[in-house]
Amino acid sequence: MSVKNNGATRFFLFLMLLLSAGLLASCDDDDDPSTSSGQADDDDAVDDDASDDDAVGDDDTIGDDDTIGDDDTIDDDTADDDIADDDTTDDDTADDDAADDDTGDDDTDTCLKPNADCTLAETAAEAGFFVGAALPGSTDPGLTVVPTHFNSVTAENAMKWGSLCPLLEQCDYAEADALMDFAAANNLRVRGHALVWGKIPGHGHPGDLETLVNQAPDPYTFLQQAIDDHVRTTVSRYAGRVESWDVVNEPLAAIGSGFEGNIFYRTMGPDYIDTAFLAAHEADPNARLFLNEYFMAYEGPKIEAFLALLEELVDRGVPIDGAGIQGHVYVTEPEMSRLSDFLVAINDLGLDVELTELDMAKNALWDDMLAGRELFDAQADAYDIFATACLSAPACTGLTTWGIDDSHTWLDNVLPFEWFAPNLPLLLDTELEPKPAYFTIRERIAEFN
Ligand code: G3I
């Protein structure tokens, strides 16, 4: 695997990622003047210092046995063998639109042989593995090829709390329902994303939530009830149809080892995580429940904090089944040698893991190779690192790309990535044709099964 790399590139990328994280998190930076509940009052400012009291895994900060400590142990059965059975993919569709021109009709061929004439969806289904795409919306042109290439889908935005309910008391499930109908019609597994997310009011959560919390006589109780209502309503609505949920998204600060100081954490401390998981578990005991997080590196304080948080949740009996690990990286970025160790460490806690948001963008230093094969080949190597890490872990149940094809990616609409558009970060090109990374992942799935 020869992902090109050099010091200047890595420094540049680090700056870009920091800037991006800062932009996305900007709504969370201010102190909450009206926090009145006891637990989080001291934590208004998120401190990135790994050694301070905000560190995840610090008993003073999380692990309040009085709050959880019940009998809701992890349900190992929910992470079992019924994942990605062979019925997941619509074989008729996949056969007709097979990615390879030389696709054969020999039914004795297994997709798990090297260079088999199978789509990624067929290969994944046969391997009992999920390969997914985030769906931008129910009318996106890319939907036409999704059942051919993927056996799992996630709503990129439609199922976020703030998308369902731009205002707390003003909810509309039509777009989410439409995507669920699309998934059902095509036998696609659904990862629900994301029930509770502290970023981007109006998208990650209702635009008026913070104001309402701050105006409430008892902000802690108000927010706890709001989370509980929302999670129960949404998970119940899609019970039996959403196989796994990102219950809480991005609870940690961008860097360092602290929690992100969003409205949830400032008001309830880490109790908000427990509240969300308990409500989700009661609303659909069979759904696998995930904590989803992004990382700028797969080693260091944030990794340690995340593992400590997972361990605390497991120890407290919070009904968590797995961890979602995002992967928004540059093609040229990864020193990913520790990714594999990280995934195994999560499995060692008795939890499943999935790679939930993969995209491998080009960057400014690749301008002269825009859309060229050289970029796509390097991109295939970068995807290979993630796919190999997942497939070689004991319980990594799938990977999802954050979009369908290169004609639509969030990266092209958000600074600083927008400056370098088109970022071309996905498995299908702008003509909806498979790129080298697609075939690399397909071969890797076959190799590991
Ligand atoms: O719908 C409005 C539209 O009416 C308006 O004209 C337009 C103007 O900018 O904005 C549209 O909303 C945008 C929405 O995407 C739908 O396109 C929001 O501004 C924009 O903030 C939103 O961005 C999404 C972002 O999460 C925030 O919800 C991205 O598409 C989505 O890819 C991104 O996904 C996140 C994951 O959920 C969590 N991990 C990181 C990942 C990337 O940031």
Side-chain angles (χ1 to χ4, degrees), residues 47-82:
D47 193 329
D48 292 328
D49 182 347
S51 65
D52 74 10
D53 290 336
D54 286 341
V56 180
D58 178 332
D59 289 337
D60 292 332
T61 308
I62 64 175
D64 179 352
D65 291 335
D66 293 340
T67 308
I68 296 294
D70 64 14
D71 292 326
D72 275 319
T73 52
I74 304 295
D75 182 358
D76 288 330
D77 291 338
T78 60
D80 66 10
D81 299 330
D82 57 5

mmCIF file of all heavy atoms in Angstrom, residues 47-82:
data_model
loop_
_atom_site.group_PDB
_atom_site.id
_atom_site.type_symbol
_atom_site.label_atom_id
_atom_site.label_comp_id
_atom_site.label_asym_id
_atom_site.label_seq_id
_atom_site.Cartn_x
_atom_site.Cartn_y
_atom_site.Cartn_z
ATOM 1 N N ASP A 47 -12.048 21.213 27.844
ATOM 2 C CA ASP A 47 -10.613 21.392 27.939
ATOM 3 C C ASP A 47 -9.915 20.276 27.194
ATOM 4 O O ASP A 47 -10.181 19.109 27.411
ATOM 5 C CB ASP A 47 -10.226 21.365 29.421
ATOM 6 C CG ASP A 47 -8.820 21.845 29.623
ATOM 7 O OD1 ASP A 47 -7.983 21.643 28.738
ATOM 8 O OD2 ASP A 47 -8.572 22.420 30.672
ATOM 9 N N ASP A 48 -9.049 20.644 26.314
ATOM 10 C CA ASP A 48 -8.392 19.631 25.506
ATOM 11 C C ASP A 48 -7.200 18.991 26.201
ATOM 12 O O ASP A 48 -6.567 18.098 25.669
ATOM 13 C CB ASP A 48 -7.918 20.235 24.185
ATOM 14 C CG ASP A 48 -9.123 20.598 23.345
ATOM 15 O OD1 ASP A 48 -10.144 19.911 23.453
ATOM 16 O OD2 ASP A 48 -9.045 21.573 22.621
ATOM 17 N N ASP A 49 -6.896 19.448 27.367
ATOM 18 C CA ASP A 49 -5.759 18.896 28.070
ATOM 19 C C ASP A 49 -6.051 17.464 28.497
ATOM 20 O O ASP A 49 -6.955 17.179 29.257
ATOM 21 C CB ASP A 49 -5.473 19.766 29.307
ATOM 22 C CG ASP A 49 -4.266 19.279 30.064
ATOM 23 O OD1 ASP A 49 -3.794 18.157 29.797
ATOM 24 O OD2 ASP A 49 -3.787 20.010 30.906
ATOM 25 N N ALA A 50 -5.240 16.551 27.984
ATOM 26 C CA ALA A 50 -5.519 15.133 28.233
ATOM 27 C C ALA A 50 -5.460 14.783 29.712
ATOM 28 O O ALA A 50 -6.036 13.807 30.158
ATOM 29 C CB ALA A 50 -4.523 14.260 27.463
ATOM 30 N N SER A 51 -4.779 15.574 30.467
ATOM 31 C CA SER A 51 -4.583 15.181 31.861
ATOM 32 C C SER A 51 -5.563 15.811 32.822
ATOM 33 O O SER A 51 -5.509 15.588 34.014
ATOM 34 C CB SER A 51 -3.154 15.565 32.284
ATOM 35 O OG SER A 51 -3.034 16.964 32.258
ATOM 36 N N ASP A 52 -6.496 16.585 32.332
ATOM 37 C CA ASP A 52 -7.319 17.310 33.289
ATOM 38 C C ASP A 52 -8.562 16.541 33.683
ATOM 39 O O ASP A 52 -8.788 15.407 33.322
ATOM 40 C CB ASP A 52 -7.676 18.699 32.734
ATOM 41 C CG ASP A 52 -8.714 18.590 31.634
ATOM 42 O OD1 ASP A 52 -9.264 17.492 31.451
ATOM 43 O OD2 ASP A 52 -8.967 19.592 30.988
ATOM 44 N N ASP A 53 -9.410 17.224 34.469
ATOM 45 C CA ASP A 53 -10.549 16.529 35.049
ATOM 46 C C ASP A 53 -11.624 16.191 34.054
ATOM 47 O O ASP A 53 -12.519 15.394 34.334
ATOM 48 C CB ASP A 53 -11.154 17.388 36.167
ATOM 49 C CG ASP A 53 -10.229 17.444 37.340
ATOM 50 O OD1 ASP A 53 -9.411 16.510 37.484
ATOM 51 O OD2 ASP A 53 -10.319 18.390 38.106
ATOM 52 N N ASP A 54 -11.581 16.795 32.881
ATOM 53 C CA ASP A 54 -12.605 16.503 31.903
ATOM 54 C C ASP A 54 -12.325 15.228 31.141
ATOM 55 O O ASP A 54 -13.112 14.807 30.317
ATOM 56 C CB ASP A 54 -12.722 17.650 30.878
ATOM 57 C CG ASP A 54 -13.399 18.849 31.504
ATOM 58 O OD1 ASP A 54 -14.051 18.667 32.521
ATOM 59 O OD2 ASP A 54 -13.260 19.946 30.961
ATOM 60 N N ALA A 55 -11.191 14.643 31.387
ATOM 61 C CA ALA A 55 -10.825 13.471 30.592
ATOM 62 C C ALA A 55 -11.884 12.387 30.665
ATOM 63 O O ALA A 55 -12.380 12.063 31.734
ATOM 64 C CB ALA A 55 -9.493 12.911 31.066
ATOM 65 N N VAL A 56 -12.216 11.841 29.518
ATOM 66 C CA VAL A 56 -13.147 10.729 29.488
ATOM 67 C C VAL A 56 -12.488 9.558 30.191
ATOM 68 O O VAL A 56 -11.306 9.292 30.020
ATOM 69 C CB VAL A 56 -13.478 10.347 28.030
ATOM 70 C CG1 VAL A 56 -14.441 9.178 28.017
ATOM 71 C CG2 VAL A 56 -14.071 11.534 27.306
ATOM 72 N N GLY A 57 -13.255 8.863 30.967
ATOM 73 C CA GLY A 57 -12.675 7.748 31.696
ATOM 74 C C GLY A 57 -12.241 8.144 33.099
ATOM 75 O O GLY A 57 -11.898 7.303 33.915
ATOM 76 N N ASP A 58 -12.285 9.431 33.351
ATOM 77 C CA ASP A 58 -11.999 9.916 34.698
ATOM 78 C C ASP A 58 -13.253 9.693 35.546
ATOM 79 O O ASP A 58 -14.336 10.146 35.226
ATOM 80 C CB ASP A 58 -11.681 11.425 34.599
ATOM 81 C CG ASP A 58 -11.420 12.034 35.945
ATOM 82 O OD1 ASP A 58 -11.961 11.542 36.954
ATOM 83 O OD2 ASP A 58 -10.685 13.003 35.995
ATOM 84 N N ASP A 59 -13.089 8.981 36.637
ATOM 85 C CA ASP A 59 -14.261 8.620 37.424
ATOM 86 C C ASP A 59 -15.023 9.824 37.940
ATOM 87 O O ASP A 59 -16.199 9.755 38.226
ATOM 88 C CB ASP A 59 -13.859 7.718 38.593
ATOM 89 C CG ASP A 59 -13.473 6.354 38.083
ATOM 90 O OD1 ASP A 59 -13.918 6.000 36.981
ATOM 91 O OD2 ASP A 59 -12.743 5.659 38.773
ATOM 92 N N ASP A 60 -14.345 10.943 38.059
ATOM 93 C CA ASP A 60 -15.041 12.132 38.534
ATOM 94 C C ASP A 60 -15.990 12.674 37.484
ATOM 95 O O ASP A 60 -16.905 13.420 37.785
ATOM 96 C CB ASP A 60 -14.025 13.238 38.890
ATOM 97 C CG ASP A 60 -13.229 12.849 40.097
ATOM 98 O OD1 ASP A 60 -13.760 12.087 40.920
ATOM 99 O OD2 ASP A 60 -12.086 13.296 40.207
ATOM 100 N N THR A 61 -15.707 12.335 36.232
ATOM 101 C CA THR A 61 -16.476 12.944 35.160
ATOM 102 C C THR A 61 -17.579 12.042 34.648
ATOM 103 O O THR A 61 -18.698 12.469 34.463
ATOM 104 C CB THR A 61 -15.542 13.305 33.990
ATOM 105 O OG1 THR A 61 -14.467 14.071 34.500
ATOM 106 C CG2 THR A 61 -16.266 14.083 32.927
ATOM 107 N N ILE A 62 -17.260 10.784 34.407
ATOM 108 C CA ILE A 62 -18.302 9.878 33.958
ATOM 109 C C ILE A 62 -18.326 8.642 34.837
ATOM 110 O O ILE A 62 -17.452 8.440 35.665
ATOM 111 C CB ILE A 62 -18.137 9.484 32.474
ATOM 112 C CG1 ILE A 62 -16.838 8.687 32.280
ATOM 113 C CG2 ILE A 62 -18.180 10.668 31.575
ATOM 114 C CD1 ILE A 62 -16.701 8.190 30.875
ATOM 115 N N GLY A 63 -19.328 7.847 34.648
ATOM 116 C CA GLY A 63 -19.417 6.620 35.433
ATOM 117 C C GLY A 63 -20.199 6.808 36.713
ATOM 118 O O GLY A 63 -19.905 6.220 37.740
ATOM 119 N N ASP A 64 -21.239 7.642 36.648
ATOM 120 C CA ASP A 64 -22.081 7.858 37.817
ATOM 121 C C ASP A 64 -22.995 6.650 37.987
ATOM 122 O O ASP A 64 -24.005 6.500 37.329
ATOM 123 C CB ASP A 64 -22.928 9.124 37.595
ATOM 124 C CG ASP A 64 -23.835 9.388 38.754
ATOM 125 O OD1 ASP A 64 -23.916 8.536 39.641
ATOM 126 O OD2 ASP A 64 -24.453 10.456 38.761
ATOM 127 N N ASP A 65 -22.626 5.762 38.901
ATOM 128 C CA ASP A 65 -23.387 4.527 39.063
ATOM 129 C C ASP A 65 -24.820 4.775 39.467
ATOM 130 O O ASP A 65 -25.708 3.984 39.189
ATOM 131 C CB ASP A 65 -22.706 3.623 40.092
ATOM 132 C CG ASP A 65 -21.414 3.095 39.545
ATOM 133 O OD1 ASP A 65 -21.284 3.024 38.318
ATOM 134 O OD2 ASP A 65 -20.547 2.767 40.339
ATOM 135 N N ASP A 66 -25.074 5.904 40.127
ATOM 136 C CA ASP A 66 -26.443 6.180 40.546
ATOM 137 C C ASP A 66 -27.350 6.402 39.344
ATOM 138 O O ASP A 66 -28.548 6.185 39.405
ATOM 139 C CB ASP A 66 -26.491 7.436 41.433
ATOM 140 C CG ASP A 66 -25.772 7.166 42.742
ATOM 141 O OD1 ASP A 66 -25.602 5.985 43.076
ATOM 142 O OD2 ASP A 66 -25.390 8.146 43.397
ATOM 143 N N THR A 67 -26.741 6.886 38.261
ATOM 144 C CA THR A 67 -27.553 7.225 37.099
ATOM 145 C C THR A 67 -27.953 5.992 36.309
ATOM 146 O O THR A 67 -29.073 5.863 35.875
ATOM 147 C CB THR A 67 -26.763 8.163 36.164
ATOM 148 O OG1 THR A 67 -26.287 9.247 36.933
ATOM 149 C CG2 THR A 67 -27.635 8.648 35.029
ATOM 150 N N ILE A 68 -27.040 5.064 36.131
ATOM 151 C CA ILE A 68 -27.339 3.867 35.343
ATOM 152 C C ILE A 68 -27.336 2.664 36.275
ATOM 153 O O ILE A 68 -28.261 2.473 37.027
ATOM 154 C CB ILE A 68 -26.310 3.698 34.212
ATOM 155 C CG1 ILE A 68 -26.447 4.881 33.265
ATOM 156 C CG2 ILE A 68 -26.553 2.410 33.463
ATOM 157 C CD1 ILE A 68 -27.769 4.907 32.543
ATOM 158 N N GLY A 69 -26.322 1.869 36.220
ATOM 159 C CA GLY A 69 -26.165 0.756 37.145
ATOM 160 C C GLY A 69 -27.327 -0.218 37.184
ATOM 161 O O GLY A 69 -27.530 -0.912 38.182
ATOM 162 N N ASP A 70 -28.126 -0.276 36.114
ATOM 163 C CA ASP A 70 -29.246 -1.204 36.183
ATOM 164 C C ASP A 70 -28.887 -2.523 35.506
ATOM 165 O O ASP A 70 -27.746 -2.804 35.227
ATOM 166 C CB ASP A 70 -30.493 -0.579 35.544
ATOM 167 C CG ASP A 70 -30.297 -0.320 34.082
ATOM 168 O OD1 ASP A 70 -29.333 -0.856 33.512
ATOM 169 O OD2 ASP A 70 -31.119 0.400 33.508
ATOM 170 N N ASP A 71 -29.889 -3.300 35.247
ATOM 171 C CA ASP A 71 -29.630 -4.647 34.753
ATOM 172 C C ASP A 71 -29.587 -4.744 33.249
ATOM 173 O O ASP A 71 -29.550 -5.829 32.685
ATOM 174 C CB ASP A 71 -30.706 -5.604 35.281
ATOM 175 C CG ASP A 71 -30.564 -5.781 36.774
ATOM 176 O OD1 ASP A 71 -29.421 -5.753 37.269
ATOM 177 O OD2 ASP A 71 -31.587 -5.918 37.432
ATOM 178 N N ASP A 72 -29.617 -3.634 32.571
ATOM 179 C CA ASP A 72 -29.591 -3.638 31.110
ATOM 180 C C ASP A 72 -28.211 -3.970 30.601
ATOM 181 O O ASP A 72 -27.454 -3.114 30.178
ATOM 182 C CB ASP A 72 -30.006 -2.278 30.553
ATOM 183 C CG ASP A 72 -31.493 -2.170 30.442
ATOM 184 O OD1 ASP A 72 -32.119 -3.157 30.041
ATOM 185 O OD2 ASP A 72 -32.011 -1.095 30.765
ATOM 186 N N THR A 73 -27.864 -5.200 30.621
ATOM 187 C CA THR A 73 -26.554 -5.583 30.122
ATOM 188 C C THR A 73 -26.546 -5.572 28.605
ATOM 189 O O THR A 73 -27.582 -5.583 27.974
ATOM 190 C CB THR A 73 -26.182 -6.987 30.618
ATOM 191 O OG1 THR A 73 -27.263 -7.847 30.299
ATOM 192 C CG2 THR A 73 -25.938 -6.987 32.099
ATOM 193 N N ILE A 74 -25.345 -5.583 28.043
ATOM 194 C CA ILE A 74 -25.217 -5.586 26.588
ATOM 195 C C ILE A 74 -25.883 -6.826 26.015
ATOM 196 O O ILE A 74 -25.703 -7.925 26.512
ATOM 197 C CB ILE A 74 -23.738 -5.618 26.187
ATOM 198 C CG1 ILE A 74 -23.007 -4.457 26.824
ATOM 199 C CG2 ILE A 74 -23.573 -5.619 24.683
ATOM 200 C CD1 ILE A 74 -23.440 -3.125 26.358
ATOM 201 N N ASP A 75 -26.663 -6.621 24.979
ATOM 202 C CA ASP A 75 -27.370 -7.725 24.359
ATOM 203 C C ASP A 75 -26.525 -8.290 23.236
ATOM 204 O O ASP A 75 -26.553 -7.821 22.111
ATOM 205 C CB ASP A 75 -28.708 -7.203 23.827
ATOM 206 C CG ASP A 75 -29.525 -8.304 23.197
ATOM 207 O OD1 ASP A 75 -29.044 -9.446 23.137
ATOM 208 O OD2 ASP A 75 -30.626 -8.015 22.765
ATOM 209 N N ASP A 76 -25.745 -9.304 23.565
ATOM 210 C CA ASP A 76 -24.851 -9.860 22.553
ATOM 211 C C ASP A 76 -25.617 -10.446 21.378
ATOM 212 O O ASP A 76 -25.131 -10.510 20.269
ATOM 213 C CB ASP A 76 -23.969 -10.947 23.163
ATOM 214 C CG ASP A 76 -22.935 -10.334 24.075
ATOM 215 O OD1 ASP A 76 -22.528 -9.192 23.816
ATOM 216 O OD2 ASP A 76 -22.555 -10.981 25.030
ATOM 217 N N ASP A 77 -26.843 -10.849 21.655
ATOM 218 C CA ASP A 77 -27.609 -11.492 20.593
ATOM 219 C C ASP A 77 -27.909 -10.564 19.441
ATOM 220 O O ASP A 77 -28.134 -10.987 18.319
ATOM 221 C CB ASP A 77 -28.931 -12.032 21.149
ATOM 222 C CG ASP A 77 -28.683 -13.211 22.077
ATOM 223 O OD1 ASP A 77 -27.610 -13.825 21.941
ATOM 224 O OD2 ASP A 77 -29.533 -13.496 22.896
ATOM 225 N N THR A 78 -27.922 -9.266 19.721
ATOM 226 C CA THR A 78 -28.264 -8.349 18.651
ATOM 227 C C THR A 78 -27.149 -8.209 17.645
ATOM 228 O O THR A 78 -27.343 -7.701 16.567
ATOM 229 C CB THR A 78 -28.603 -6.956 19.206
ATOM 230 O OG1 THR A 78 -27.460 -6.471 19.897
ATOM 231 C CG2 THR A 78 -29.794 -6.998 20.112
ATOM 232 N N ALA A 79 -25.991 -8.666 17.988
ATOM 233 C CA ALA A 79 -24.853 -8.513 17.074
ATOM 234 C C ALA A 79 -24.494 -9.852 16.453
ATOM 235 O O ALA A 79 -23.353 -10.147 16.187
ATOM 236 C CB ALA A 79 -23.665 -7.965 17.851
ATOM 237 N N ASP A 80 -25.479 -10.642 16.210
ATOM 238 C CA ASP A 80 -25.173 -12.021 15.866
ATOM 239 C C ASP A 80 -25.176 -12.291 14.370
ATOM 240 O O ASP A 80 -25.018 -11.414 13.549
ATOM 241 C CB ASP A 80 -26.100 -12.967 16.625
ATOM 242 C CG ASP A 80 -27.523 -12.795 16.177
ATOM 243 O OD1 ASP A 80 -27.719 -12.099 15.187
ATOM 244 O OD2 ASP A 80 -28.424 -13.351 16.806
ATOM 245 N N ASP A 81 -25.421 -13.549 14.091
ATOM 246 C CA ASP A 81 -25.196 -14.043 12.743
ATOM 247 C C ASP A 81 -26.201 -13.594 11.704
ATOM 248 O O ASP A 81 -26.018 -13.846 10.522
ATOM 249 C CB ASP A 81 -25.201 -15.580 12.775
ATOM 250 C CG ASP A 81 -24.106 -16.089 13.670
ATOM 251 O OD1 ASP A 81 -23.080 -15.390 13.764
ATOM 252 O OD2 ASP A 81 -24.250 -17.153 14.248
ATOM 253 N N ASP A 82 -27.288 -12.969 12.129
ATOM 254 C CA ASP A 82 -28.290 -12.635 11.133
ATOM 255 C C ASP A 82 -27.968 -11.342 10.393
ATOM 256 O O ASP A 82 -28.807 -10.714 9.798
ATOM 257 C CB ASP A 82 -29.687 -12.576 11.761
ATOM 258 C CG ASP A 82 -29.764 -11.601 12.906
ATOM 259 O OD1 ASP A 82 -28.758 -10.917 13.141
ATOM 260 O OD2 ASP A 82 -30.790 -11.537 13.556
#
